[in-house]
Amino acid sequence: MTCIGFALGLAILHCDPGPTPATSAARFCQVMTSPVAYARTDDARTRRQLRSLNAAWRATCEGRS
């Protein structure tokens, strides 16, 4: 066995992939624990953005615990 083969074998044995990363939907639900409420001072553009964000939350996270 060559030195390169030996080093590659040690690297394969030593490196583990670790925990699997969370999917984007699970990560979204962890960050967004509930829909965002409107504020009295929000303008029309902000309300449109919040409606879009809340629709994404309802579609993705509402049924999950």
Side-chain angles (χ1 to χ4, degrees):
M1 183 184 307
T2 64
C3 291
I4 294 175
F6 182 71
L8 183 60
L10 285 178
I12 291 172
L13 290 176
H14 184 266
C15 297
D16 59 8
T20 57
T23 62
S24 59
R27 192 174 308 120
F28 179 76
C29 291
Q30 287 174 349
V31 173
M32 293 289 300
T33 56
S34 63
V36 179
Y38 298 139
R40 186 175 293 170
T41 56
D42 288 342
D43 60 357
R45 181 174 155 241
T46 304
R47 287 183 183 262
R48 264 195 319 274
Q49 291 172 343
L50 290 175
R51 277 194 300 272
S52 172
L53 181 66
N54 289 337
W57 180 84
R58 280 190 301 276
T60 307
C61 306
E62 195 171 40
R64 296 181 185 204
S65 321

